[in-house]
Amino acid sequence: MPLVPSHVASLQPYVPGKPIEEVEREYGVSDVAKLASNENALGPSPLGMAAARAVCDRVHLYPDGSAFYLKKALSERFDVPIEEILVGNGSNELIELLVRTFALEGEEVLTSAQSFIAYKLAAHAHGRRLVEAPMKERFHYDLEALAAHLSPRTKVVFLANPDNPTGTWFLEKELVHFLGRVSRDTLVVLDEAYVEFVEAPGFQDSMALRKQHPNLVVLRTFSKIYGLAGLRLGYAFARPELVAFLDRVRAPFNVNMVAQAAGAAALGDGAHVALSRELVRLERPFLEKGLRELGATVVPSQANFVLADFPGRPGMALFEALLHEAVVVRPVAGYGFPTGQRITVGTHAENVKALAALRRVLAR
Ligand SMILES: *Cc1c(COP(=O)(O)O)cnc(C)c1O
């Protein structure tokens, strides 16, 4: 008898961005610029941090399993009834939970090739078939191709907009057209991890779309603009029936007490959100320009990172060379971009440092 099911035996582990401490230890460097995981360069929301500290003396108690105050804060902030809100241990947990709860044996999960790897991992971890539609012009979701890959077996569709690792986006009109072609029995999960950074016209209003499409699930996170990646906190908006099923499948205390408190407070930290958005608005063009001057092809982005392609420079080698310069980026060969690096928009000093390190490394 095999020890595990074959779909578990064939799983590939997720490769996270290299932690700062590990880079310092392994490469003997200090003052590391970590531009690998699209974290907030300005750090956590100060209001979130204060709230987190304030609950620390109560962590001998279990958290509120219903996350009442956090959901109430989300409900007020986004004008969504509490029964339509689910919170998770990062939106990653919610991705996994959606597959686990709704994709029956023999049903398929559909997404775009070269998009966020968590969709693939979730499908495969549960032994569900993942169907991937090709991108168009290498870096863009192709909603026509996605629609062409819909089948009566498609149960969950994952769409990241803006996308990771490309940073590209599609327009609301394309999404609306796609939604019109999806069966009501198929869930469309719109992953809006970077929505707060978006400035492009014609972008989706997911809150309005939810009202017309009961099969639409909106996923968001506190990991990016709110700066709480280390606390693990994500949320979903879905119709009450879906939330009720997900609620039964999730672990009883899936969101810890510190995350609940920090998240609720961070939602009200408009100043931190505005500063974080402003940083990306100013620094992303600076980083893009510097990368282009170094010969990279930079994919247009609406997120707090850019995908840069360095022709003739295999991703792992360039990544390694940058580690010696105390700069951590994210090679994306595993996504089918063999000479690509995903680079998070850092502080101005970090971006200057990354560009200087790249200049040295590329000159060798
Ligand atoms: C970063 C990211 C998330 C957020 O994951 P968490 O588990 O909430 O930290 C979700 N989706 C995409 C596309 C992302 O890039």
Side-chain angles (χ1 to χ4, degrees), residues 37-38 89-93 95 115-116 118-119 160-164 191-194 219-224 229 232-235 305 342:
S37 303
N38 307 338
N89 185 34
S91 51
N92 231 289
E93 183 195 21
I95 290 166
S115 182
F116 194 39
Y119 313 141
N161 199 28
D163 179 42
N164 173 12
D191 184 344
E192 296 191 320
Y194 302 96
L219 271 191
R220 302 239 180 118
T221 181
F222 283 89
S223 297
K224 306 290 156 58
R232 313 302 303 123
L233 183 58
Y235 56 101
F305 63 87
R342 195 191 66 194

Side-chain angles (χ1 to χ4, degrees), residues 234-258:
Y235 56 101
F237 298 134
R239 69 176 198 261
E241 178 201 10
L242 301 181
V243 169
F245 283 124
L246 291 160
D247 237 344
R248 284 183 237 176
V249 175
R250 71 172 173 88
F253 301 106
N254 62 329
V255 176
N256 71 73
M257 181 190 292
V258 181

Side-chain angles (χ1 to χ4, degrees), residues 161 169-174 198-204 302:
N161 199 28
W169 67 103
F170 52 80
L171 299 178
E172 180 170 70
K173 60 178 189 227
E174 301 172 70
V198 173
E199 303 202 313
F203 198 79
Q204 72 231 4
Q302 282 290 308

Side-chain angles (χ1 to χ4, degrees), residues 196-328:
E196 299 90 350
F197 297 105
V198 173
E199 303 202 313
F203 198 79
Q204 72 231 4
D205 177 351
S206 54
M207 294 299 136
L209 289 174
R210 283 190 63 232
K211 301 212 164 82
Q212 292 137 45
H213 300 277
N215 55 339
L216 187 62
V217 177
V218 174
L219 271 191
R220 302 239 180 118
T221 181
F222 283 89
S223 297
K224 306 290 156 58
I225 205 157
Y226 296 103
L228 301 180
L231 286 179
R232 313 302 303 123
L233 183 58
Y235 56 101
F237 298 134
R239 69 176 198 261
E241 178 201 10
L242 301 181
V243 169
F245 283 124
L246 291 160
D247 237 344
R248 284 183 237 176
V249 175
R250 71 172 173 88
F253 301 106
N254 62 329
V255 176
N256 71 73
M257 181 190 292
V258 181
Q260 288 186 30
L267 268 184
D269 198 343
H272 183 257
V273 168
L275 281 174
S276 306
R277 191 182 294 132
E278 187 63 5
L279 177 80
V280 170
R281 198 179 68 78
L282 295 173
E283 285 297 317
R284 193 177 58 213
F286 172 77
L287 184 62
E288 287 170 344
K289 181 165 174 285
L291 289 166
R292 288 199 178 101
E293 283 166 7
L294 294 171
T297 304
V298 183
V299 180
S301 168
Q302 282 290 308
N304 67 337
F305 63 87
V306 294
L307 177 60
D309 190 57
F310 297 85
R313 294 283 179 162
M316 273 318 278
L318 183 54
F319 165 70
E320 279 282 337
L322 288 171
L323 287 176
H324 287 281
E325 307 282 333
V327 173
V328 196

